[in-house]
Amino acid sequence: MWFKGSLLVAKWTVGNSSLSGVASGVFKPELTGSLTFMNVSLRYNGTYTVEMNHIGEEKVSATFYLFVYDIIMNVSLHTDPGDAVEGQVSFTLYYSTMQGEAKEVRWFFNGLQLRNGSHYSISGKNLTINQPSRNHTGRYTVLLTNPFSSETQHWNITVLYGPDMPVLKVSPTKAVFVSGESLFLSCQAEGEPPPSATWFFNGESIATSSTGTVSLTNVKTSQSGVYTCVMINTRTKAKLQRNVTIIVYESPSGEPLCSVQAVNGSAALQFLCLWPGGAPEAQVSFPGLSVNASGYGNYSMTINDIQSLNGREIICKAEHPLIQTQCSVIPRGPVDFLPVILISMSQDEQTLVVIHCSAKATPQALVHWIKDGNHLQTGPKYQISTNTTQLFIYDFNVTTDLDTYTCTAINPLGNETVDTTLLGPQISNSSVFRSNNRTEVTLTWDVPLTSVITGFDIQMKGPELSSPSQPKLSIASDFRTIQSKPASARATTVSGLDPECTYYIRIIPKAGRTAGEQSEQHRIGPAAGLSGAAIAGMAAGIPCALLVLLIVLAFIYCGRRDRVPRYPVPRAVEKVKEAVFVLL
């Protein structure tokens, strides 16, 4: 009896030609008990058992497996899932055929046969890669064989991975950049496919090149901060990011400024150190006033014990990461000063006198103004400037406003008082200088410092001044004004003089419409009579002439006694008289 599995497929008695129970055309029993398969197909595959039973004896049996093979054709490979990604649990590569089955299946990786292990599992038609990595990228081959044929198929597997941790570079390599400089940021990372980079600053994307670089030119302090590079794998959508901090510093503008001012009713001094701007702000301090105290940008410190500070240099130390410098201030009380008088005239010819009393003091002194023992206040007649250093006297009247004005400069470290006595318009001295051709003179003059003057009239007496268009001269018997000069003038030139004529020139100072004391009169022209020097010489020569006369008389007297005189006495006397006359 023949069985396929448990199914009886043939049964007969050996030696008996009768073959009942055998499928004809499929199996062919043999008289010896053998079974011949005809027209085998794949469905014949299976386990077959033959049992032989001899009557009266024990039954025996034998089992075998029948393999039916077809020619292997059209082998193809497939993957599950579609992409191999680094880090996933597994990746399976399997084959299929259009025809034929393999008795033996062998898998290869880059030409090396694979076997079951921790990295690979081979089962049936499947090759499973456990926890694939980038190292599993390569050429996979399957070899199918049976007793009648063999087929080979290849498959290139690329394991997708990344991005790895990005590598960030800042060029040039610096810890701190200065405002106005330029820099480049680059971001690179390993991955398959190569990941793309995008840069972000303050949550917003910024322009990034295809190579993952960012160019920052003429950077500003507002560009300081954290820059983030995000790398993304376009196939797996995996992302990885990394940050880099860019610091941009900017120096404060200019130089630090030191100053001091009075506070608390001028009972204390407040020292200020100002160095604005910059990133970060500069740290400033007064080490001479306090060792530990400091501030940033705009710092002040108030000191109540101030008398020891008079004339002492106080230094502000200013420190910024890019630069270190300092400034200083010297507090001091008011010292001697000289008031300055400024005079101007309005279009309606009203005179304005300004007394400027600015004492050299730190902090600036507060000025009090006093006249006739009374403190002056701002009103219609007087106005005091905001900083108190100037007193404005409006509609100045030479008759009533010429007086002594007292200014007292006060600051926490002392005070100083100066009296200013205003004088009417006057000339302190004057001079004339004639040119070599005697047709032009230069007139110079000075005035007292506190004299109130709005201008000068240059007056002349004598012939009219000549010019090419007026060569004819006429003589003026009285002074006339030939020039008017502003209050700032201290010299003038008069041209067109006749060298053979005599002129008289003087200067009239004015305060508004009021004329002041005239200067001395300067005579210009040829010598008229004896000069002052000649008269002085004659005065000195008279005593000498008398002495000569006495000597001559004595000589005559002695000559009459000793010898006959050469001239009669009356003649000698006449000679002496002539000599005296000549000397006179």
Side-chain angles (χ1 to χ4, degrees), residues 361-382:
T362 306
Q364 182 176 342
L366 182 67
V367 180
H368 297 276
W369 295 91
I370 302 173
K371 177 187 175 185
D372 297 332
N374 299 317
H375 284 271
L376 299 180
Q377 303 293 334
T378 294
K381 181 66 177 178
Y382 303 103

Side-chain angles (χ1 to χ4, degrees), residues 500-519:
E500 302 301 327
C501 295
T502 300
Y503 302 87
Y504 294 88
I505 297 180
R506 66 184 183 185
I507 309 161
I508 305 297
K510 297 189 302 181
R513 297 180 179 179
T514 303
E517 300 177 10
Q518 67 180 32
S519 69

Side-chain angles (χ1 to χ4, degrees), residues 509-553:
K510 297 189 302 181
R513 297 180 179 179
T514 303
E517 300 177 10
Q518 67 180 32
S519 69
E520 64 174 307
Q521 296 182 15
H522 296 277
R523 180 185 179 280
I524 302 170
L530 296 176
S531 65
I535 295 173
M538 290 174 61
I542 291 175
C544 295
L546 292 176
L547 179 61
V548 172
L549 178 59
L550 292 176
I551 293 172
V552 171
L553 291 175

Side-chain angles (χ1 to χ4, degrees), residues 286-400:
F286 293 101
L289 300 178
S290 175
V291 176
N292 299 320
S294 64
Y296 293 90
N298 188 1
Y299 177 65
S300 64
M301 177 178 289
T302 300
I303 304 297
N304 294 313
D305 184 12
I306 61 176
Q307 293 307 315
S308 62
L309 301 179
N310 194 4
R312 173 182 161 192
E313 183 180 21
I314 304 300
I315 295 175
C316 169
K317 187 178 180 182
E319 297 178 312
H320 185 270
L322 298 179
I323 186 174
Q324 296 183 1
T325 184
Q326 66 182 35
C327 63
S328 65
V329 61
I330 302 177
R332 64 175 77 249
V335 295
D336 294 338
F337 58 95
L338 186 65
V340 177
I341 312 299
L342 303 175
I343 302 103
S344 63
M345 180 177 291
S346 64
Q347 292 183 349
D348 57 0
E349 297 187 355
Q350 287 190 351
T351 302
L352 171 64
V353 175
V354 182
I355 305 176
H356 187 77
C357 245
S358 181
K360 186 177 181 181
T362 306
Q364 182 176 342
L366 182 67
V367 180
H368 297 276
W369 295 91
I370 302 173
K371 177 187 175 185
D372 297 332
N374 299 317
H375 284 271
L376 299 180
Q377 303 293 334
T378 294
K381 181 66 177 178
Y382 303 103
Q383 285 193 9
I384 299 173
S385 63
T386 303
N387 62 4
T388 73
T389 61
Q390 297 183 84
L391 174 65
F392 296 83
I393 307 174
Y394 290 91
D395 194 15
F396 189 88
N397 190 307
V398 175
T399 304
T400 59

Side-chain angles (χ1 to χ4, degrees), residues 139-256:
R139 181 183 175 93
Y140 286 81
T141 303
V142 62
L143 174 60
L144 306 179
T145 60
N146 64 25
F148 308 102
S149 63
S150 67
E151 282 291 330
T152 301
Q153 188 60 265
H154 306 284
W155 189 272
N156 291 322
I157 293 179
T158 299
V159 179
L160 307 181
Y161 66 91
D164 291 345
M165 181 60 68
V167 177
L168 305 185
K169 291 183 179 180
V170 181
S171 180
T173 304
K174 297 174 66 174
V176 173
F177 291 88
V178 180
S179 177
E181 292 183 337
S182 298
L183 60 101
F184 296 91
L185 304 177
S186 66
C187 181
Q188 294 180 341
E190 293 291 331
E192 180 59 43
S196 62
T198 303
W199 282 91
F200 293 85
F201 177 62
N202 289 338
E204 296 185 1
S205 63
I206 56 179
T208 307
S209 71
S210 59
T211 58
T213 63
V214 171
S215 176
L216 301 178
T217 59
N218 193 25
V219 293
K220 300 177 176 58
T221 55
S222 59
Q223 293 175 282
S224 289
V226 177
Y227 288 77
T228 302
C229 173
V230 177
M231 303 294 290
I232 183 170
N233 189 313
T234 56
R235 290 277 298 277
T236 66
K237 307 304 179 183
K239 294 181 180 180
L240 199 61
Q241 68 182 43
R242 192 175 180 186
N243 300 330
V244 62
T245 300
I246 300 298
I247 300 176
V248 180
Y249 283 166
E250 183 177 42
S251 297
S253 57
E255 295 291 332

